[in-house]
Amino acid sequence: ATESSAVPVALFVDKGVGGKGPKMLEETLTKEGFVVERVKADDVRADALKKYRVLFVPGGTGGTIGKNLGEEGRAKMKE
């Protein structure tokens, strides 16, 4: 895929997400032609997800991720 036709992908990487998953996922998606951008909880709360077609949360501690996002961030992820 060319950059202009690539699907914009958000990769959530913040408190609660860890291990090798984010880096491995980012590398794999990039090799397949996706445009991957890392986003944090502050980005989610600021409506940054509107410019992406796909959101990956690569795993970690759900409770920590949820607390970090707060009620507003969790609601924005559901939109």
Side-chain angles (χ1 to χ4, degrees):
T2 64
E3 178 115 0
S4 62
S5 67
V7 174
V9 174
L11 177 63
F12 184 79
V13 181
D14 207 338
K15 293 176 189 166
V17 174
K20 296 178 183 179
K23 182 179 179 193
M24 291 172 56
L25 184 56
E26 185 173 25
E27 288 173 357
T28 300
L29 290 169
T30 300
K31 284 179 188 174
E32 293 299 321
F34 292 91
V35 176
V36 180
E37 293 183 23
R38 291 177 173 226
V39 296
K40 294 183 171 267
D42 288 340
D43 301 319
V44 172
R45 288 188 293 272
D47 277 338
L49 295 181
K50 289 184 177 183
K51 69 179 192 174
Y52 302 101
R53 298 267 319 270
V54 178
L55 168 65
F56 281 99
V57 180
T61 308
T64 302
I65 293 169
K67 285 179 186 175
N68 188 27
L69 284 165
E71 188 173 330
E72 181 185 5
R74 292 190 303 272
K76 296 220 184 248
M77 277 194 166
K78 292 178 183 179
E79 292 178 3

